[in-house]
Amino acid sequence: MVERTLSIVKPDGVMRNLIGEVIGRLEGEGLKIVAMKMIHMNKAQAKGFYKVHEGKPFFESVTDFMSSGPCVVIILEGENVIARYREIMGATNYKDAAEGTIRRDFATDIEKNVVHGSDSLENADIEINYFFNALEIH
Ligand code: CMP
């Protein structure tokens, strides 16, 4: 099934000049970029994005981090792209991430894990609509 998913190069990835590295890996694996832009969320916008994590112990910290600098938000499209991108990204905790994944290679802690990816079709749809309108998707 052709799906869309949301990828984010997080503020640590942007700050460390990893945008090209991440995009190179995505394209290298044959994932198609259909939308992309750089944004800088404020705290309220970061809280809105991570609403599903509200109340969790890391919520304040991750929303501070995600509003600390610019991010690159990307929509990927393709057959089974949600699972394929999650495989390329690696586990949330880089210590559990498989060899050769983005997080294993570049994350520095569980929060500063370089990239985000939607975890389901339903959340991909919500996350894509949070950042993009129809005219920005190609
Ligand atoms: P992400 O996949 O974007 O989803 C939620 C984010 O919260 C996660 O990546 C991390 O950046 C951050 N985070 C910090 N601590 C935790 C934790 N214990 N479990 C899950 N996510 C965490």
Side-chain angles (χ1 to χ4, degrees), residues 10 50 53 58 62 65 92 103 110-113 115-117:
K10 296 184 178 187
Y50 277 129
H53 295 300
F58 58 86
V62 77
F65 164 56
T92 304
R103 285 168 166 169
I110 192 168
E111 179 175 275
K112 294 178 184 58
N113 59 0
V115 282
H116 167 83

XYZ file of all heavy atoms in Angstrom, residues 10 50 53 58 62 65 92 103 110-113 115-117, ligand 1:
155
model
N 15.629 16.778 13.421
C 15.416 17.557 14.647
C 16.509 18.627 14.836
O 17.542 18.595 14.145
C 15.403 16.597 15.842
C 14.230 15.606 15.804
C 14.217 14.754 17.055
C 13.019 13.814 17.027
N 12.882 13.077 18.304
N 3.626 17.160 19.879
C 3.841 15.979 20.725
C 2.683 15.750 21.717
O 2.896 15.143 22.770
C 5.163 16.100 21.480
C 6.374 15.665 20.681
C 7.496 16.482 20.574
C 6.417 14.418 20.048
C 8.617 16.079 19.854
C 7.525 14.009 19.321
C 8.621 14.829 19.230
O 9.726 14.415 18.524
N 2.157 12.685 23.724
C 3.075 12.393 24.839
C 2.828 13.279 26.055
O 3.580 13.233 27.023
C 4.534 12.564 24.381
C 4.952 11.577 23.335
N 4.936 10.225 23.543
C 5.383 11.747 22.059
C 5.348 9.598 22.452
N 5.616 10.499 21.527
N 9.017 12.955 29.965
C 9.928 13.657 29.060
C 9.250 14.766 28.252
O 9.886 15.413 27.424
C 10.621 12.665 28.112
C 9.673 11.824 27.266
C 9.190 12.292 26.052
C 9.280 10.560 27.689
C 8.334 11.526 25.273
C 8.421 9.776 26.916
C 7.945 10.268 25.705
N 11.327 17.389 25.962
C 11.370 17.185 24.502
C 10.751 18.378 23.763
O 11.195 18.736 22.666
C 10.729 15.836 24.078
C 9.210 15.876 24.095
C 11.208 15.440 22.681
N 13.372 21.058 23.755
C 14.376 20.700 22.748
C 13.865 20.966 21.328
O 14.565 21.581 20.502
C 14.742 19.221 22.929
C 15.463 18.595 21.782
C 16.654 19.139 21.295
C 14.969 17.451 21.166
C 17.320 18.553 20.213
C 15.623 16.859 20.100
C 16.801 17.420 19.616
N 14.015 4.446 19.013
C 14.016 5.759 19.684
C 15.278 5.934 20.524
O 15.941 6.968 20.451
C 12.771 5.882 20.604
O 11.607 5.661 19.819
C 12.708 7.248 21.265
N 19.858 6.724 13.821
C 19.986 7.010 15.261
C 21.208 6.324 15.868
O 21.896 6.902 16.712
C 18.700 6.630 15.975
C 17.582 7.662 15.716
C 16.264 7.136 16.170
N 15.228 8.169 16.249
C 13.944 7.884 16.429
N 13.546 6.630 16.548
N 13.058 8.851 16.500
N 18.673 9.731 24.268
C 17.330 9.282 23.875
C 16.491 10.442 23.340
O 15.620 10.259 22.499
C 16.615 8.534 25.031
C 15.356 7.819 24.508
C 16.325 9.447 26.187
C 14.744 6.835 25.464
N 16.764 11.663 23.828
C 16.010 12.827 23.365
C 16.620 13.402 22.085
O 15.904 13.621 21.098
C 16.000 13.898 24.455
C 15.256 15.158 24.053
C 15.182 16.104 25.216
O 14.263 15.943 26.034
O 16.061 16.988 25.335
N 17.902 13.616 22.107
C 18.575 14.196 20.927
C 18.910 13.049 19.980
O 20.058 12.625 19.844
C 19.825 14.976 21.356
C 19.440 16.200 22.170
C 20.624 16.976 22.667
C 20.154 18.127 23.542
N 19.349 17.709 24.717
N 17.842 12.576 19.312
C 17.997 11.377 18.485
C 17.879 11.683 16.983
O 17.496 10.833 16.194
C 17.042 10.274 18.943
C 15.580 10.695 18.883
O 15.266 11.824 18.497
N 14.688 9.806 19.241
N 16.349 12.385 14.410
C 15.197 12.311 13.498
C 13.940 11.851 14.221
O 14.009 11.171 15.242
C 15.468 11.333 12.315
C 16.342 11.962 11.259
C 16.055 10.014 12.811
N 12.810 12.218 13.624
C 11.507 11.718 14.064
C 10.854 11.007 12.892
O 11.092 11.375 11.734
C 10.608 12.892 14.508
C 9.173 12.493 14.677
N 8.708 11.905 15.834
C 8.120 12.539 13.814
C 7.415 11.624 15.671
N 7.036 12.003 14.463
N 10.013 10.032 13.182
C 9.200 9.393 12.135
C 7.859 8.990 12.698
O 7.766 8.549 13.853
P 10.332 10.754 18.788
O 10.345 9.505 17.992
O 10.307 12.046 18.062
O 9.079 10.712 19.804
C 9.077 11.338 21.071
C 10.401 11.927 21.435
O 10.594 12.209 22.805
C 11.486 10.899 21.106
O 11.636 10.749 19.721
C 12.669 11.495 21.851
O 13.263 12.581 21.149
C 11.998 12.084 23.102
N 12.163 11.238 24.293
C 12.893 11.581 25.360
N 12.844 10.629 26.298
C 12.061 9.635 25.823
C 11.633 8.376 26.346
N 11.993 7.941 27.540
N 10.838 7.606 25.555
C 10.447 8.048 24.324
N 10.840 9.250 23.791
C 11.632 10.035 24.529
